[in-house]
Amino acid sequence: EKRRKLNNLLKYSEVYKDTILINKEISVKEKIHIPAGYKVIVKPGTNILFENNGQIISESPFIAIGTKKDSIHFRAKTKGNNNKGILFLNTKGSIFKYVKFKGLRNYNDEFRTLPGSICFYESTVSFSNTTFDTNFGGDDLLNIVRSQFNITSSELLNSKADALDSDFSYGNIKNTTFKNIGNDAIDVSGTTLYISDIMISDVQDKGISVGEDSHITGKNIIINNSSIALTSKDLSTLNLDRVEVNNCDVVFTVFQKKSEYGPASINCQNVTYKNYKEEYLVQMDNTLFINSTESKVKVKDVE
């Protein structure tokens, strides 16, 4: 039964008991379902090319470790084709290093339609030296739900909407760049996240958006050319140290949007900002501290 589910993958890979080895170019033309019980090893230099209707759903972890000179590619075979993305479901211990994802659409099949082109649900995953570039359809470049994740020395570029959308998860992001984002660069709900050495630029909506009882702690953050730099809402906290904000319409917004939650807060130390239209918008009962000084100006309806 397991081998039946692997169908087209078998002719491009070698299967050894509980290990699937991919070391040659694959053309993904339809749905490939990898059941639980395997470990999928992708060798350096491998190209996994998605054609129309091509998609992968994996219930087994991927170990995709390339090198600086010989990276691994998961990408659309032709620009803008109608592929259907990647979903990792209940996988533990996936590792992606020196990997490039490009040109994928949001995952969808006969059972589910998801917002992200690369989705992780109830999984653990680690990315380093990984590039997520350009998504078509759906919203998010990378969508993570009820999962634990680490992102280090990576890039999220040219997203149609949110670059990273994390729900009910726990994560760490370090030394990572977000650029040319159609909605939010980092958007979290119900998530605890630690961030450091982050560069965010050219964002249509919010650089960092913390919502629905989420908590972000971080340091060494630069945000350039964003509509709103920093937002905390609905019982969330955003605590940052050493922050630089340039050329944003609004630097801080703090408010409650949903009645079932409560007030939110932002506390930024060693923060500088210039070339903005509005310094901050703080709703009544919500809290903003800038360099240890609390904002006293509050309005009724920030949203």
Side-chain angles (χ1 to χ4, degrees):
E1 175 64 14
K2 281 185 178 181
R3 294 182 72 85
R4 186 190 66 79
K5 287 185 176 181
L6 289 173
N7 52 52
N8 284 338
L9 185 60
L10 289 171
K11 61 188 177 184
Y12 299 108
S13 61
E14 301 170 28
V15 181
Y16 304 96
K17 221 170 180 182
D18 60 353
T19 300
I20 299 170
L21 178 64
I22 302 175
N23 60 3
K24 61 183 75 173
E25 186 170 289
I26 293 179
S27 237
V28 181
K29 300 178 180 179
E30 54 188 315
K31 184 177 182 177
I32 290 178
H33 179 192
I34 302 172
Y38 290 100
K39 179 168 65 176
V40 182
I41 297 176
V42 186
K43 301 297 285 184
T46 299
N47 288 316
I48 298 178
L49 307 177
F50 290 76
E51 299 190 38
N52 289 331
N53 299 313
Q55 65 186 139
I56 294 174
I57 176 171
S58 182
E59 297 175 82
S60 292
F62 271 50
I63 310 298
I65 300 178
T67 67
K68 190 173 184 178
K69 292 183 178 180
D70 215 4
S71 57
I72 295 167
H73 293 258
F74 294 77
R75 63 180 177 85
K77 188 171 184 178
T78 57
K79 184 178 179 180
N81 71 31
N82 193 33
N83 67 76
K84 296 182 177 180
I86 307 171
L87 169 61
F88 292 89
L89 189 63
N90 303 303
T91 60
K92 305 300 179 186
S94 288
I95 299 173
F96 296 88
K97 184 174 183 179
Y98 289 108
V99 174
K100 296 182 179 181
F101 297 92
K102 186 169 184 178
L104 302 182
R105 290 182 177 269
N106 62 306
Y107 184 89
N108 70 93
D109 59 23
E110 61 270 37
F111 304 109
R112 55 183 78 81
T113 297
L114 302 179
S117 57
I118 303 111
C119 302
F120 288 81
Y121 182 80
E122 293 191 345
S123 299
T124 60
V125 59
S126 176
F127 301 100
S128 62
N129 302 99
T130 294
T131 299
F132 304 86
D133 187 358
T134 310
N135 59 324
F136 300 97
D139 290 322
D140 315 324
L141 264 178
L142 177 59
N143 182 245
I144 298 176
V145 180
R146 299 187 185 278
S147 300
Q148 294 187 20
F149 65 95
N150 287 283
I151 302 173
T152 305
S153 302
S154 295
E155 297 178 309
L156 291 88
L157 312 171
N158 306 313
S159 179
K160 181 181 177 184
D162 296 343
L164 168 66
D165 191 317
S166 169
D167 301 314
F168 312 107
S169 296
Y170 180 95
N172 291 272
I173 308 175
K174 182 178 181 181
N175 190 32
T176 291
T177 296
F178 299 77
K179 186 173 183 179
N180 193 25
I181 309 303
N183 200 52
D184 301 336
I186 298 174
D187 181 24
V188 300
S189 62
T191 290
T192 298
L193 183 61
Y194 298 86
I195 61 176
S196 63
D197 303 294
I198 304 297
M199 171 69 78
I200 296 171
S201 64
D202 304 307
V203 179
Q204 295 298 311
D205 197 357
K206 298 176 286 292
I208 300 175
S209 179
V210 194
E212 297 170 339
D213 196 16
S214 289
H215 308 281
I216 290 184
T217 303
K219 62 182 180 179
N220 300 330
I221 313 298
I222 298 174
I223 302 175
N224 294 321
N225 302 313
S226 178
S227 180
I228 300 171
L230 302 168
T231 290
S232 181
K233 60 183 183 291
D234 296 330
L235 206 60
S236 297
T237 60
L238 178 57
N239 297 303
L240 302 176
D241 186 23
R242 299 194 293 276
V243 181
E244 179 184 327
V245 175
N246 301 299
N247 303 312
C248 294
D249 293 333
V250 185
V251 183
F252 307 97
T253 62
V254 195
F255 58 97
Q256 181 177 344
K257 180 179 179 181
K258 298 181 178 180
S259 59
E260 61 268 34
Y261 290 92
S265 70
I266 293 178
N267 188 337
C268 283
Q269 302 296 321
N270 300 302
V271 57
T272 62
Y273 41 94
K274 61 184 180 180
N275 298 330
Y276 56 87
K277 295 179 182 178
E278 190 82 45
E279 184 179 7
Y280 54 76
L281 294 169
V282 183
Q283 191 170 292
M284 299 296 293
D285 300 321
N286 293 254
T287 306
L288 170 63
F289 280 90
I290 304 171
N291 297 326
S292 301
T293 300
E294 183 177 5
S295 161
K296 299 298 183 182
V297 180
K298 301 187 178 185
V299 298
K300 184 177 180 181
D301 187 2
V302 171
E303 186 188 357

